[in-house]
Amino acid sequence: GAVVSQHPSWVICKSGTSVKIECRSLDFQATTMFWYRQFPKQSLMLMATSNEGSKATYEQGVEKDKFLINHASLTLSTLTVTSAHPEDSSFYICSAKVGSSNQPQHFGDGTRLSIL
Amino acid sequence: GESVGLHLPTLSVQEGDNSIINCAYSNSASDYFIWYKQESGKGPQFIIDIRSNMDKRQGQRVTVLLNKTVKHLSLQIAATQPGDSAVYFCAENMGYGGATNKLIFGTGTLLAVQP
């Protein structure tokens, strides 16, 4: 149980393109999902917390107009990287949590984004 | 110009030995801790968790120890196998008085199992 699916797993696109990444909880409902960014050989950095039916909460230094988050249902959150540039190239990972506090987050397998 | 590489701390062990991976966390108010395993090109996989009212928890081949006095967490893997090779992250749950909790990840340790 607690499977999180992320799509696409890999995307290559030109500079200036907007890219949408989907995160789905397959066998549970998630009122809260999280989006992380990870550079090579580094840890996961939380970008934002996505709350179903309300606005996302962004971490300090993360541009909300650059990284648009939509959490329209209890099983789907999307991250759109708008007008992507090479410096946005990274590994983006989502997670979802079953229930409220003191439960582990379950992660998708990430999206490798490469901007040319 | 010269490039600076980033290096994860690495623990190299022989197959069959026990492994101990350590982690120092930052917030004395953190109430929940998790260990994750991340294989190359994949998302983190849950291994084991522990709440702050405990100091030890055991799973299958894994044990987590929590020392709140010095804010230290460790993961012990018994009889390490080649399939255990991965990067291991500890994460602390920082609650906000009932608001949405979030995880803060440690820097990670690369476990390399030698056959």
Side-chain angles (χ1 to χ4, degrees):
Chain A
V3 178
V4 176
S5 175
Q6 200 169 329
H7 179 80
S9 56
W10 197 4
V11 58
I12 302 173
C13 59
K14 294 180 180 179
S15 185
T17 308
S18 292
V19 179
K20 180 186 283 188
I21 303 169
E22 293 186 348
C23 180
R24 296 181 185 271
S25 54
L26 297 187
D27 52 358
F28 66 100
Q29 292 184 331
T31 55
T32 305
M33 291 183 174
F34 303 85
W35 287 97
Y36 295 81
R37 184 172 181 175
Q38 186 179 32
F39 291 106
K41 298 186 179 181
Q42 294 191 33
S43 188
L44 283 76
M45 296 300 296
L46 180 65
M47 298 174 67
T49 302
S50 169
N51 302 295
E52 187 269 334
S54 64
K55 290 182 179 180
T57 303
Y58 289 82
E59 295 300 300
Q60 190 173 12
V62 178
E63 299 175 58
K64 62 181 181 180
D65 295 329
K66 173 75 172 178
F67 300 100
L68 301 179
I69 291 172
N70 184 280
H71 193 160
S73 79
L74 287 171
T75 59
L76 173 65
S77 175
T78 62
L79 169 69
T80 301
V81 183
T82 61
S83 186
H85 292 284
E87 59 266 28
D88 298 322
S89 298
S90 189
F91 193 50
Y92 293 87
I93 314 174
C94 74
S95 71
K97 194 160 65 171
V98 179
S100 57
S101 62
N102 290 351
Q103 293 290 330
Q105 292 179 23
H106 297 275
F107 287 81
D109 268 343
T111 297
R112 175 75 58 196
L113 175 62
S114 296
I115 309 298
L116 304 177
Chain B
E2 186 178 66
S3 64
V4 178
L6 292 169
H7 299 281
L8 281 171
T10 300
L11 174 65
S12 185
V13 299
Q14 290 294 125
E15 182 178 357
D17 287 352
N18 297 332
S19 302
I20 300 176
I21 301 171
N22 296 302
C23 174
Y25 64 92
S26 58
N27 190 342
S28 57
S30 293
D31 58 359
Y32 176 57
F33 305 86
I34 311 171
W35 278 100
Y36 286 96
K37 171 186 180 183
Q38 186 178 28
E39 295 175 318
S40 181
K42 294 188 176 182
Q45 176 187 357
F46 171 80
I47 300 174
I48 193 168
D49 57 1
I50 188 167
R51 289 168 174 67
S52 59
N53 61 352
M54 303 171 67
D55 53 20
K56 180 179 180 178
R57 190 164 187 225
Q58 288 183 294
Q60 187 177 11
R61 277 201 311 120
V62 294
T63 300
V64 55
L65 298 177
L66 174 63
N67 185 330
K68 294 183 287 294
T69 303
V70 294
K71 293 190 286 186
H72 183 268
L73 198 65
S74 69
L75 176 70
Q76 300 178 3
I77 304 174
T80 313
Q81 303 167 0
D84 295 326
S85 295
V87 178
Y88 289 80
F89 292 98
C90 66
E92 60 181 304
N93 184 77
M94 301 181 72
Y96 290 92
T100 302
N101 299 307
K102 64 180 183 178
L103 288 181
I104 301 299
F105 280 77
T107 53
T109 297
L110 173 62
L111 176 64
V113 182
Q114 308 302 321

